[in-house]
Amino acid sequence: MSTAPELPLWAALVVSALMVIGAAIALIGSVGLIRLNSFYARVHAPTLGATLGVGSLLIGSMICFSVLQSRPVVHEVLIALFVTITTPITLVLLARASLHRDRVEGNPEVPKSDHASLDRHDG
Amino acid sequence: MTAPLEVLILGWSLTFAQLLVGLAMACAACRILVGPRAQDRILGLDTFYVNAMLLLLTIGIRSGTTLYFEAALAIGLLGFSGTVALAKFLMRGEVIE
Amino acid sequence: MNRASSLLRRVIPFPLLFLALLVMWLLLQQSLAPGHIVLGSLVALGATWAMTALDPEPVRLRRPAAMLRLALRVLVDVFRSNLAVGTIILRGNRHSDHAGFMTVQLDLRSEYGLAVLAIILTCTPGTLWVNHDPARGTLLLHVLDLVDEQSWIDLIKLRYERLLMEIFE
């Protein structure tokens, strides 16, 4: 198959495994986007790719470039940090926007107020 | 002329990983097209961006240069700001108040 | 001693932010050359001064040991919940019938602590932070596998909230 950088065997094996695992996790997350049957359940799916999927690929990339350039290459940490901070922001914003829309439309799937289940427990 | 075993292993598994990420992008694209509601499409778009970032990372490893790193970071940034703007739009009906 | 630290405060209003920005600059440049350190310090200094205009509430971080424990705990939980959610997705639709909303009463009041809790809960697949009511201190969550509500409450209150209160309050 086409080109790939020349790594020692152990590094090639580790990097290959991490690549395939990360990609598979991202695929499972995206499949969940299709298979789960309500919007709020679907919001959980992309976090798989954004946590372990990205993490696994980034560790693979770090190992690959550290071996290739024979010095520690750690700037992938930036992407990891960036993704862990931004993914929750987008998902929470999206969930809140959706909750707001559902409440305005009177959709019975969502609780009418934040305290619905607490009030039920108290009373 | 045959490539050494290590290069073959890495090359094939990179191809496989790219195939998997490509399928993941197809799933996300499906959700963008099917919907049914606006928030589903935005969620699909966000996933599409994350998967595109992963694809860029695998391409970067195949090329053996760190050039693609900046591209991956940039696509992550674009995806973030795009999704936040769209979610804000859903919430209030306008992006900047 | 005290005067020196107040002078440092005036030159670098947010030392942690300054350090983080400098490290980010050096990582982006992929070099530790003195020129990059000077340039990065200037950029970070400019950004921290710009930050004073926003006048954010000061962060008080304590107990580095607790921070490390929390980080390890979150890492383990991310692994575990990735596995759990992965199996739910692959096993098919009938499981997502258990998904639902739940409410937790939080004792944590620090804004920064709440922000970190939001990131932790949303980053672990299976739990999603939806809405927090600061007046009543209640948190609306969406959970993918809502079979035992009490176990999720225990997870949040005992595993995360206690440590976060140690760190931020």
Side-chain angles (χ1 to χ4, degrees):
Chain A
M1 200 49 217
S2 55
T3 56
E6 277 199 51
L7 294 173
L9 184 61
W10 69 268
L13 285 176
V14 172
V15 173
S16 303
L18 285 171
M19 289 296 117
V20 174
I21 290 172
I25 292 171
L27 177 59
I28 292 174
S30 304
V31 166
L33 208 58
I34 287 189
R35 286 187 77 164
L36 297 175
N37 51 13
S38 87
F39 170 76
Y40 295 99
R42 282 196 282 269
V43 178
H44 295 286
T47 40
L48 259 85
T51 53
L52 265 196
V54 171
S56 168
L57 269 163
L58 286 177
I59 292 174
S61 161
M62 264 191 243
I63 294 175
C64 173
F65 288 115
S66 298
V67 171
L68 269 184
Q69 307 185 356
S70 43
R71 69 186 176 96
V73 176
V74 288
H75 64 320
E76 277 87 352
V77 173
L78 274 183
I79 289 192
L81 211 69
F82 181 74
V83 168
T84 39
I85 293 176
T86 56
T87 315
I89 297 177
T90 52
L91 292 184
V92 170
L93 259 179
L94 207 53
R96 288 183 63 169
S98 170
L99 184 74
H100 176 73
R101 277 166 67 108
D102 279 337
R103 277 182 182 161
V104 168
E105 290 170 12
N107 193 335
E109 197 193 336
V110 300
K112 287 213 171 44
S113 81
D114 287 5
H115 323 294
S117 75
L118 267 194
D119 294 343
R120 197 182 62 222
H121 283 301
D122 294 344
Chain B
M1 182 193 112
T2 54
L5 180 67
E6 302 90 79
V7 175
L8 276 182
I9 291 175
L10 190 57
W12 276 105
S13 44
L14 274 176
T15 309
F16 187 55
Q18 282 169 346
L19 198 75
L20 293 182
V21 176
L23 277 175
M25 286 175 87
C27 291
C30 243
R31 189 42 80 192
I32 297 177
L33 292 177
V34 171
R37 305 186 65 198
Q39 50 262 49
D40 285 298
R41 294 176 205 268
I42 299 177
L43 187 65
L45 187 68
D46 188 49
T47 317
F48 197 79
Y49 267 116
V50 171
N51 287 332
M53 199 180 75
L54 293 183
L55 193 62
L56 271 180
L57 283 174
T58 56
I59 293 174
I61 289 179
R62 189 191 284 287
S63 74
T65 65
T66 49
L67 274 180
Y68 285 90
F69 166 80
E70 270 87 6
L73 203 57
I75 215 169
L77 253 171
L78 283 178
F80 169 62
S81 48
T83 321
V84 165
L86 285 169
K88 198 101 173 81
F89 179 75
L90 277 194
M91 188 98 105
R92 306 255 186 241
E94 50 190 295
V95 180
I96 300 168
E97 295 167 61
Chain C
M1 169 69 206
N2 220 344
R3 283 191 55 183
S5 78
S6 82
L7 186 69
L8 182 74
R9 282 256 157 212
R10 206 165 322 141
V11 179
I12 306 175
F14 305 100
L16 274 179
L17 178 68
F18 174 80
L19 217 65
L21 284 171
L22 179 59
V23 168
M24 193 184 99
W25 180 270
L26 292 177
L27 278 174
L28 271 176
Q29 301 297 337
Q30 296 189 62
S31 106
L32 279 174
H36 280 307
I37 294 180
V38 171
L39 203 56
S41 303
L42 285 178
V43 170
L45 213 55
T48 43
W49 282 345
M51 206 43 195
T52 50
L54 289 176
D55 195 21
E57 201 182 302
V59 195
R60 277 192 316 124
L61 287 177
R62 293 186 303 164
R63 316 276 302 262
M67 279 152 79
L68 199 67
R69 278 234 308 281
L70 184 68
L72 284 177
R73 224 170 244 191
V74 171
L75 207 64
V76 171
D77 284 0
V78 165
F79 267 95
R80 278 209 317 226
S81 52
N82 261 285
L83 271 179
V85 174
T87 47
I88 287 177
I89 290 172
L90 291 180
R91 230 188 287 154
N93 258 337
R94 66 196 159 82
H95 225 86
S96 63
D97 297 341
H98 295 302
F101 290 92
M102 59 179 278
T103 314
V104 183
Q105 184 75 45
L106 290 181
D107 301 315
L108 185 68
R109 284 290 180 273
S110 151
E111 279 178 29
Y112 296 107
L114 287 169
V116 174
L117 186 62
I119 290 180
I120 292 174
L121 287 183
T122 313
C123 259
T124 46
T127 48
L128 174 71
W129 170 292
V130 181
N131 211 349
H132 176 256
D133 180 351
R136 291 181 62 167
T138 53
L139 162 67
L140 183 67
L141 272 180
H142 186 269
V143 181
L144 190 56
D145 193 9
L146 190 65
V147 180
D148 181 7
E149 200 169 309
Q150 190 57 43
S151 73
W152 289 108
I153 294 180
D154 287 345
L155 174 85
I156 293 162
K157 305 246 3 146
L158 302 178
R159 238 176 122 72
Y160 302 134
E161 194 190 14
R162 193 173 288 170
L163 274 180
L164 281 171
M165 284 171 82
E166 274 181 33
I167 296 170
F168 286 100
E169 285 178 2

